[in-house]
């Protein structure tokens, strides 16, 4: 019997082993960078859990065309990955008149569609800095990990600028009048770095965990997209 069926049995065992391996890999790697479901170091499940514990409903959204639809005054939209917004989606996001829009390291054309008061400037390495501004969310958090792209703002605060004139965290308003926060890097929001310095406090304050919001719409790439 063994000689007769050994090839079939070996194939079945191999199929089972491959299926188990794929299942384990999928569970370990669920989600991606700044994904609120991902427990990987670059994911953001820890932040999503803290927000949930503070009464903020975290909604994982994959459609950029609907992420800002009907946004209320206690709602927040987070765009954490570059390349998710086309021109039409960015324009719709910029028309938001209520709530808070948080953009992380978005390209210049997206910024231009969302606001006319903030523009990208340069880039700086990741580093821990003091706020050096009067923005309440940053002042309450204290020193935090910032860096990446820096920005100029005409109407809000520039925080964590260090010795540079431009800042890796700035505030302003969208073209429609919603509060706007722009970050040069999302490293402080990740599972790997959230518990360092004032990163968790800064992330919670910016995303409504300080009591300022009831809902967070967190845009993530849809399955199969390049983003």
């Amino acid at each position: 019997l063994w000689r007769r069926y050994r090839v079939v049995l070996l194939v079945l065992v191999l199929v089972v082993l491959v299926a188990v391996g794929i299942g384990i890999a999928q569970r370990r790697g669920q989600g991606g960078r700044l994904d609120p479901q991902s427990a990987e170091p670059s994911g953001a499940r820890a932040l999503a859990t803290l927000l949930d514990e503070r009464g903020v409903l975290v909604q994982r959204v994959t459609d950029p065309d609907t992420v800002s639809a009907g946004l209320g005054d206690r709602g927040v939209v987070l765009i954490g990955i570059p390349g998710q917004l086309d021109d039409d989606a960015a324009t719709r996001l910029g028309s938001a008149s209520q709530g808070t829009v948080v953009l992380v390291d978005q390209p210049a054309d997206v910024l231009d569609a969302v606001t006319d008061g903030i523009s990208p400037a340069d880039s700086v390495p990741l580093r821990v800095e003091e706020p050096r501004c009067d923005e309440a969310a940053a002042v309450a958090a204290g020193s935090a990990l910032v860096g990446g792209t820096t920005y100029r703002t005409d109407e809000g605060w520039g925080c964590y600028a260090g010795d540079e004139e431009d800042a890796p965290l700035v505030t302003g308003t969208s073209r429609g009048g919603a509060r706007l926060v722009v970050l040069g890097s999302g490293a402080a929001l990740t599972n790997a770095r959230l518990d360092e310095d004032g990163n968790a406090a800064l992330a919670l304050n910016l995303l409504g965990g300080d009591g300022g919001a009831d809902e967070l719409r967190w845009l993530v790439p849809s399955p199969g997209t390049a983003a």
Side-chain angles (χ1 to χ4, degrees):
L1 287 175
W2 167 247
R3 287 193 298 270
R4 180 179 299 178
Y5 295 112
R6 62 185 177 184
V7 174
V8 175
L9 290 173
L10 289 173
V11 169
L12 289 175
V13 169
L14 180 61
V15 168
V16 170
L17 290 175
V18 169
V20 170
I22 291 174
I24 292 173
Q26 287 178 338
R27 286 195 297 272
R28 293 182 59 186
Q30 183 180 21
R33 181 162 63 99
L34 287 184
D35 188 322
Q37 288 185 351
S38 175
E40 296 295 311
S42 63
R45 183 186 293 178
L47 176 55
T49 300
L50 291 176
L51 287 164
D52 179 72
E53 291 173 352
R54 284 157 177 77
V56 180
L57 175 63
V58 178
Q59 299 188 63
R60 189 174 179 273
V61 181
T62 59
D63 185 357
D65 293 327
T66 63
V67 69
S68 60
L71 185 68
D73 61 351
R74 290 183 58 80
V76 180
V77 170
L78 172 62
I79 313 296
I81 304 296
Q84 294 179 271
L85 301 178
D86 60 20
D87 292 342
D88 290 340
T91 299
R92 278 190 290 270
L93 184 62
S95 67
S97 59
Q98 300 185 83
T100 300
V101 174
V102 180
L103 303 178
V104 179
D105 193 23
Q106 296 299 307
D109 59 334
V110 170
L111 274 178
D112 185 58
V114 173
T115 180
D116 59 0
I118 297 174
S119 57
D122 203 348
S123 62
V124 295
L126 288 176
R127 63 198 182 191
V128 177
E129 285 284 355
E130 293 291 333
R132 303 185 187 184
C133 67
D134 291 332
E135 164 60 34
V139 172
S143 60
L145 180 70
V146 294
T149 306
T150 60
Y151 305 90
R152 298 184 180 99
T153 180
D154 298 333
E155 54 189 17
W157 296 109
C159 300
Y160 301 100
D163 296 329
E164 293 82 18
E165 180 180 351
D166 307 310
L169 187 160
V170 297
T171 64
T173 58
S174 71
R175 292 183 178 272
R179 170 174 161 79
L180 179 63
V181 178
V182 180
L183 287 165
S185 169
L189 313 182
T190 63
N191 297 323
R193 310 301 292 267
L194 189 68
D195 63 348
E196 299 175 1
D197 302 291
N199 296 350
L202 180 63
L204 291 171
N205 293 342
L206 294 177
L207 299 177
D210 58 353
D214 300 324
E215 171 196 20
L216 170 60
R217 302 177 188 178
W218 195 315
L219 184 65
V220 298
S222 58
T225 63

